[in-house]
Amino acid sequence: MAVGVFDSGLGGLTVLEAVTRRLPDVPFVYYGDNANAPYGVRDADDVYELTTRGVERLWRAGCDLVILACNTASAAALRRMQESWVPPKKRVLGVFVPLIEALTERQWGDNSPPREVAVKHVALFATPATVASRAFQRELAFRAIGVDVEAQACGGVVDAMEDGDLILAEALVRSHVEALKRKMPKPDAAVLGCTHYPLMQEVFQDALGPDVMVFSQANLVADSLADYLSRHPGMLGAGQVPMLLTTGDARRVSVKATHFLRRKIDFHPA
Ligand code: DGL
């Protein structure tokens, strides 16, 4: 009954923590493509090739349902995968839609026409590839009208976090927030559109100021997954054993992950 969680590296661990807390009886198999991270500076074809390879590995681990806990993969590869690659008995879901549903105050599966929502000025912080895809604006336009989105490509933040350099990551976050504010001085809401960023949420909030509502993904994705599984219990795959797999050096990745989440984490070779 396992479910797969895919990420380019360590960021998806923030989602893994939230889904494990929300669904403690489900064994989750995590795949971190650390050998090829970061994805945020790769082109869409590259992200597609790497993501499909990782998802196939999760299918072999007995997961029929895979969550792409990576905005870059969700933005740059998911639509193409769903349209022409995912076989009938498998599912791949991304992390964008739960976030946008929360922002636009919609329930899961509400397909009514786009309407006005409370937030008018939204700052999006994400990787360069996610920003370039414009997937966030596209998904938002299906659900809301009259929302002004200003996107800031946060170059360097993921690399600094993967390297465990949180001082550099913090300095970069503050300079990206300053750059965003020059383009949009008073956002109502900020979306952290990268699964690495929840660990920097306090820094984003501090730099943005207390009046800006910061949306972060992990808990939103966990609620959406719980809801999805209650409606599709057959999507729990045959796998029984929770595992953490990496394409990188398992020992080094375990050390970094332990540092990243501040608790002991053990990865195995994918
Ligand atoms: N954490 C991933 C995301 O949500 C990707 C970061 C990267 O590999 O660049 O976008």
Side-chain angles (χ1 to χ4, degrees):
M1 51 182 274
V3 171
V5 177
F6 169 94
D7 186 47
S8 59
L10 301 179
L13 291 173
T14 58
V15 174
L16 181 72
E17 291 260 284
V19 292
T20 307
R21 232 182 357 252
R22 187 75 171 70
L23 297 160
D25 297 333
V26 175
F28 287 96
V29 182
Y30 185 87
Y31 176 102
D33 192 7
N34 300 77
N36 297 299
Y39 281 11
V41 289
R42 293 178 179 275
D43 67 27
D45 284 342
D46 226 3
V47 173
Y48 176 84
E49 292 307 326
L50 294 169
T51 305
T52 48
R53 195 188 306 166
V55 170
E56 277 174 341
R57 176 66 186 90
L58 287 167
W59 285 340
R60 288 202 300 282
C63 306
D64 291 342
L65 167 65
V66 174
I67 308 299
L68 296 188
C70 174
N71 290 272
T72 307
S74 302
L78 180 59
R79 177 174 277 230
R80 184 170 159 198
M81 290 165 72
Q82 286 173 331
E83 280 171 1
S84 59
W85 182 80
V86 179
K89 297 242 162 67
K90 312 273 190 211
R91 287 284 181 285
V92 181
L93 302 175
V95 285
F96 252 55
V97 169
L99 182 72
I100 290 174
E101 284 175 340
L103 190 71
T104 55
E105 301 153 38
R106 279 184 184 241
Q107 300 300 322
W108 181 281
D110 172 354
N111 292 325
S112 60
R115 57 174 181 253
E116 294 223 13
V117 293
V119 293
K120 297 286 176 227
H121 303 282
V122 175
L124 168 68
F125 296 94
T127 65
T130 298
V131 170
S133 75
R134 296 188 61 81
F136 179 83
Q137 288 90 330
R138 187 183 64 223
E139 292 293 337
L140 187 65
F142 290 138
R143 297 167 177 85
I145 44 176
V147 183
D148 181 20
V149 177
E150 196 61 67
Q152 177 66 30
C154 297
V157 175
V158 168
D159 305 66
M161 294 184 76
E162 290 275 327
D163 288 346
D165 191 344
L166 297 185
I167 294 174
L168 175 60
E170 174 167 347
L172 287 167
V173 165
R174 289 187 186 279
S175 86
H176 287 303
V177 170
E178 282 316 308
L180 183 284
K181 279 179 161 174
R182 284 196 288 278
K183 299 180 279 184
M184 178 182 272
K186 286 197 181 311
D188 317 310
V191 169
L192 305 190
C194 171
T195 50
H196 281 69
Y197 301 170
L199 292 187
M200 290 279 128
Q201 185 162 346
E202 284 176 17
V203 181
F204 275 103
Q205 185 75 70
D206 184 56
L208 284 158
D211 296 339
V212 181
M213 203 177 0
V214 175
F215 286 81
S216 177
Q217 281 169 320
N219 290 329
L220 299 173
V221 171
D223 289 344
S224 292
L225 177 62
D227 176 60
Y228 182 88
L229 286 174
S230 71
R231 289 178 297 112
H232 301 93
M235 286 317 298
L236 287 164
Q240 297 290 335
V241 189
M243 272 185 290
L244 292 140
L245 304 173
T246 177
T247 55
D249 175 328
R251 199 184 48 78
R252 285 186 46 213
V253 172
S254 301
V255 171
K256 280 188 190 175
T258 299
H259 194 68
F260 188 80
L261 284 189
R262 300 181 188 110
R263 68 176 178 83
K264 182 98 179 76
I265 308 279
D266 277 317
F267 271 89
H268 300 279

